[in-house]
Structure formats: structure tokens, C-alpha cells
Amino acid sequence: MLKTRIDGDVQPGFKWGPFIMRIPLIHLRFSLSNMLQGLAVAGATGMALVPYFIALLGLTFEEAVTMAMFHSTLISFSWMFFGDPYAPGWLTPAIPFVVAFITTPAYLGDHTSQFQAMTALSLNFAFILIFLGVTGLGAKLINIVPNVFKGGIILGAAVAAFLRVTKDGDAANVFQSAPIAGTLGVLICLVFAFSKPLQVYAADKMWLLKLLGLGLLPGFLVAGTVGYFTGEFQYNIRWEILDVGSATASLWAKVSPFAIGWPPIETFASSFPLALITYILFFGDLVTGNEMIEQAQPSRVDETLELDSSRAHIATGIRNVLMSIIAPFFATQGVLWTGIQVVLLKGWSEGREKVDSIFDSIGSFYAFGLPLLFVILPFVTLLEPLLPLALAVTLVLTAFACATLALSLVHDATERGAMVITAMAFSVFEPWLGLLVGIIVIVALCGIKVFSPQQDS
């Protein structure tokens, strides 16, 4: 029986430890529009690393798709078992660092050592997250960071996302690989997600409201169709079902530390600095997610979205431990998919008649935690050409959402200038150096007092 939420309360669920489990069709409702766009966007994005798995790590196509399926499954189950009101995703900015790490002479060409390095990275990162979560230090760190520094981190994510989507040769640069279809798809998705004139125009037009309710899906359908006729997207459909059992067995034999051996101590030691750098990225995502929810919360007094930074640390740490054992590829288990979070929050903020709970949207988008589409190879190969579009859409939405959020956090001109310099440092330097530059700039321009607890808001 579907549980009904008391007005103004947190969505019901089963409490276990610091977590809340919510079961589909008991604690949340089904949303067709969110599921449809989730199948297209989450499906295509979830497979974006398949070429890396094949080219860099020596996996077959079937093994690579199976690995992507495990990553997506862990992400898709996160909201269900742990109860955080975030749309989870990758720590995307860390992936270039990870690829560079496993292609150094110490690991290049030795796939066993590469997967051991991935396991070490994931376990190091999980240790940092769980330690900070259990002790509560992570939540305290989130609370003492001033708005000007939060804004710098968030705006830095916006700039980095925009730079990546326009970088020559990058997989996300669909404007280069498919200029007509890619530009059209990104533009439609951006307009559907944020255009105020379109929202006003659609207010008394039911057909347009229903179309807007499909979120990102229309942009993908238009781009996929146009790309076919322009020749920018080539579809090579495989009419098969993935042999999950066979692919899982062969994948396990190649990647799991239980099969290939655990990483040596020196691998744990050499990978620890990258795990620390990645925590800075995680911290930025958590700050962004919390600020997004806090800004959207006043529009929905009927549902309280409970933010618990310690819980988010522990939950993400647990997913990284599981990933390190079954499908180690570091940075695929993060706390927030920014571009999707803003789309789902936007629909949620339109009222209870639109969507009862944010968990209805998140659960339906992630197909209730069961990414079965990876098994259906016709669907997998249909989405394969759209991988650059999926990456570009999420990055552009991330850039826009983060920019608007960051600019709303500070109102003092000096703090705004310091925030912009901090953002540029985060977007052009390595995370640890961006962190150092940001702290120095903010202290020099705004004073050390901005870091004192009484300045929190």
C-alpha cells in the first residue's frame, strides 16, 4: 500500500541506522515522463565510458557494457537504500586525472595493475568519506565554509563544464562531432529546462505543458532524428540480448581483487593523493546539491527534504567499496549529477500536483534502481551514437545551473570578485592548487573573518 506523507514532513521510508530506505510503489509513485528521459539520458551517459573500458583496459564490448551496468546499478540504488534527496552520478572532473594515473609507465599496458590501482583509489576514497562521515567532520566542514568560497567552488564547476564541452577533441564536444544535430539537441534541452518566456507561453497550453513535462527527452529525439538524416549519427543496431552471466564471469576474472589479487601497499600509497584531490570535487558537489535544495525548498512546504552531509559521506563511501570489488573504475560513484538534479528539482518545485515527492522523480528517472536497458543490446546500440550529446547536455545544464546558483550566494561586490577568481582557479588548475589559490584570494580580499562560524547563513 502506498504510504501517504503528512503535509510538511519528510517522505516516509524504513529507517535503518542513519539511512532511510524507500521502496518503489510503497514509498514513492511512478512518473512516466521522468522514466522516459532517464532511459535516454541516464542510459546514454552511463555508457559514455565504454570506449575507455575497451581501449584502455582491454575489456570486450560485452564486458565493458556489463561494467557500465554495475556502475549504473550502484548509482541507481543509492537513493533507494540511503535516502539522500540527490540525483547521484559520477565525479566527472576526476576522470581525466584517473585516466592519466592509470596510463603512466607504471601501469600502462598492464591491465591487472590498472584494475588494482582502481581498487586502491576507490578504497582510499571510501576510507576518507566514511571516516569524515562517521566522525561528523565532513558535515562540520560543509557548515563552516563561507558562501563566497562555496560560490567559488560552484562557479568553478560551471566554468570547467563549459570549457570541457567546447574543448577540441573532447568526447563531450558534440558541437564539433555533430554540429547540426548536437547544437539543436543541446539548445532544445536548455530552453526546455530554463526558458522563462517558454514557461509563460505554455501556461494556458496543455499540449505544450505536457511536452515540457518530458524534460530532456524531446531534445534527444529531435537530435537523434536530425543526426540520422544529416549523417552525423550512425546507427548500427545489434539485435541481441546481453549474456549477463557469461559477461559477468569473464569481467570478474579480469577486474575483481578477489580474482586478480589485492593492490600492493605501494599502490595504495601512490593513489592516496588523487583520492584526496577527488574529495575536493566531492565536497564541491555536496555543497552544490545542498544549495540547490535549500533554494528550491521554499516552493514546496508540503515536503521537507532532509539534508545530512554525514549520511551522504557514508553512503557514497559504501558505494565506492562495493564498486572497488565488482567493477573498479574510480570516480563513477559520486554524490550528485548536477544537470539532472536541477531538472528534477525544477519539476518538483512546480507543486505537489505535478509530482508528489522528489523521490518519485529520482526513483523514476533511475528506473527504480534497475537499469535493465543495458541488457537489451538493440537499445544499447541505439543510444551509442548519442553518447557525445548526453555528455554535452549534462555539462551545459550543469554550467548554467551552477552559474546561476553561485551568483545568488553573494551580494557584496568584493566577495563576488573573489568568488570569480576562485572559480577560475578551480577551473584551470588541479583541484588542490585551485583550493589553495581560492583560500589565499578570499582571505586577502574579504578577510579571515568570513571563515568564522558566525558568518554562516
Side-chain angles (χ1 to χ4, degrees), residues 348-378:
W348 175 78
S349 65
E350 292 175 3
R352 194 166 189 173
E353 65 281 356
K354 174 83 172 181
V355 58
D356 182 72
S357 169
I358 188 63
F359 293 99
D360 297 354
S361 298
I362 296 174
S364 298
F365 183 86
Y366 290 100
F368 288 164
L370 297 171
L372 296 177
L373 62 90
F374 286 87
V375 178
I376 307 170
L377 290 185

Side-chain angles (χ1 to χ4, degrees), residues 143-147 447-457:
N143 291 333
I144 67 172
V145 173
N147 279 349
I448 191 67
K449 66 181 185 299
V450 298
F451 286 92
S452 58
Q454 62 266 27
Q455 293 293 323
D456 294 345
S457 58

Side-chain angles (χ1 to χ4, degrees), residues 114 176 178 220 225 247 258 264 275 292 297 408-409:
Q114 287 177 322
Q176 187 179 55
F220 275 75
T225 303
F258 287 107
M292 281 182 172
Q297 182 66 80
S408 71
L409 292 179

Side-chain angles (χ1 to χ4, degrees), residues 92-93 96 156-179 182-183 185-187 190 386-400 427:
T92 308
V159 175
F162 181 77
L163 290 176
R164 186 181 168 201
V165 83
T166 56
K167 182 179 178 181
D168 288 345
D170 195 284
N173 191 348
V174 75
F175 307 115
Q176 187 179 55
S177 61
T183 302
V186 170
L187 182 61
L190 185 63
L386 302 180
L387 301 187
L389 175 63
L391 281 174
V393 166
T394 55
L395 288 171
V396 169
L397 293 181
T398 295
F400 186 89
S427 63

Side-chain angles (χ1 to χ4, degrees), residues 241-375:
I241 299 296
L242 180 67
D243 187 345
V244 178
S246 176
T248 300
S250 60
L251 179 68
W252 179 272
K254 289 182 179 180
V255 309
S256 175
F258 287 107
I260 64 175
W262 293 87
I265 295 298
E266 54 266 27
T267 302
F268 277 103
S270 63
S271 63
F272 194 77
L274 180 52
L276 280 175
I277 289 172
T278 306
Y279 178 75
I280 299 173
L281 302 173
F282 168 88
F283 180 88
D285 281 349
L286 195 56
V287 166
T288 303
N290 288 349
E291 292 296 332
M292 281 182 172
I293 289 172
E294 287 174 2
Q295 288 204 356
Q297 182 66 80
S299 62
R300 285 292 302 268
V301 295
D302 63 287
E303 179 180 14
T304 298
L305 301 187
E306 184 183 46
L307 299 177
D308 187 333
S309 296
S310 293
R311 180 179 63 194
H313 277 73
I314 298 170
T316 310
I318 291 173
R319 282 195 282 125
N320 274 272
V321 170
L322 294 174
M323 186 264 292
S324 73
I325 295 171
I326 60 175
F329 193 90
F330 184 56
T332 59
Q333 300 300 315
V335 70
L336 183 73
W337 187 349
T338 308
I340 298 307
Q341 181 77 4
V342 69
V343 171
L344 299 183
L345 276 177
K346 186 175 180 297
W348 175 78
S349 65
E350 292 175 3
R352 194 166 189 173
E353 65 281 356
K354 174 83 172 181
V355 58
D356 182 72
S357 169
I358 188 63
F359 293 99
D360 297 354
S361 298
I362 296 174
S364 298
F365 183 86
Y366 290 100
F368 288 164
L370 297 171
L372 296 177
L373 62 90
F374 286 87
V375 178

